[in-house]
Every structure is written in structure tokens, then in C-alpha cells.
Amino acid sequence: MSRFGQKSRLSARMSTCYAVHSTSPQQAIAVEKAAWPAKEGQAVETFWDWITVFAFAGLVTLLLQRSAEEEPRDHLWQYAPPAVGCALVNYIGNEGYHAPAVVLFVAVVIYIFKVLKVPMPFLK
């Protein structure tokens, strides 16, 4: 028991592990699911989740590609604002504030094209 009169999460999981070793496989799966409950909202399921994951993946790809150059064009710290911006866009959009999320996402994209000097593919 903890100071507050409830079992701690660790002791609950430890007793679960003990129970898993002394039961059948079907019971072990049920016990494991009960010990690690799924939390709402952790899956990538909203529009904002997907759009920010794709933007962040593109940002990471750009970072890796440019870090492999002999003479890097930019500094590592320059990738922090759009990365934090993606996280903020995701949070704000998932909270239901779509207009500010769109404005911030546009600012992130503009930052990537202007500050990181990514050539615009449609202006060739």
C-alpha cells in the first residue's frame, strides 16, 4: 500500500506478472490487458495527427539528407522551431481550434521553405 492507501502501479504490475505465470495463456492475456489499460486519444487518428506526422517526417528527412553533406547548409537549431510548431499545430488542432492550427501550420511550412531554403518544386 502506498501512503494514500492505494496499491502503487508498480506493485499492481508485479502482482500481475506473478498471476501471468500461474495461469493459462487465455487468462494471462486477459490479466495483461487489465494491467495495461488502453488510453483514449493515443492513436494517430485525426486529420491533425496525420498532417503533422507527415510534415515532421519530411523535416526529419531534410535534416538527415543535409547532415550527410560535407558542408552543411544550416544548423541543427534551425530545425527546432518547425518541429515544435508541428507539435503545437497537432495539439491546437486536436483541441478543436482549427483556424489557429491552420495559421500556425502555414507558418511552419513557410519557415521550412524560407529559412531552411527548400527549393519549391512547383516553381521550376
Side-chain angles (χ1 to χ4, degrees):
M1 294 279 208
S2 71
R3 295 185 323 181
F4 303 108
Q6 298 175 347
K7 273 186 160 180
S8 69
R9 295 183 111 192
L10 181 59
S11 65
R13 288 191 180 131
M14 288 171 56
S15 62
T16 301
C17 291
Y18 177 73
V20 168
H21 291 294
S22 61
T23 59
S24 70
Q26 290 80 14
Q27 290 171 334
I29 291 171
V31 168
E32 188 64 27
K33 284 182 180 177
W36 297 88
K39 294 183 180 175
E40 293 290 324
Q42 287 188 344
V44 178
E45 54 192 25
T46 68
F47 168 77
W48 296 108
D49 292 339
W50 285 107
I51 196 83
T52 55
V53 164
F54 286 136
F56 187 76
L59 188 64
V60 169
T61 303
L62 181 67
L63 170 71
L64 292 174
Q65 179 185 12
R66 290 192 174 174
S67 66
E69 294 175 347
E70 275 205 35
E71 191 70 32
R73 302 180 217 186
D74 37 40
H75 302 283
L76 183 61
W77 65 266
Q78 291 175 312
Y79 291 88
V84 171
C86 283
L88 287 173
V89 166
N90 189 17
Y91 178 77
I92 293 169
N94 285 341
E95 290 295 315
Y97 301 105
H98 302 295
V102 168
V103 170
L104 187 57
F105 184 73
V106 169
V108 166
V109 171
I110 289 172
Y111 180 94
I112 290 171
F113 280 102
K114 294 292 183 183
V115 175
L116 297 177
K117 297 180 180 86
V118 175
M120 300 217 187
F122 48 85
L123 293 179
K124 288 186 176 186

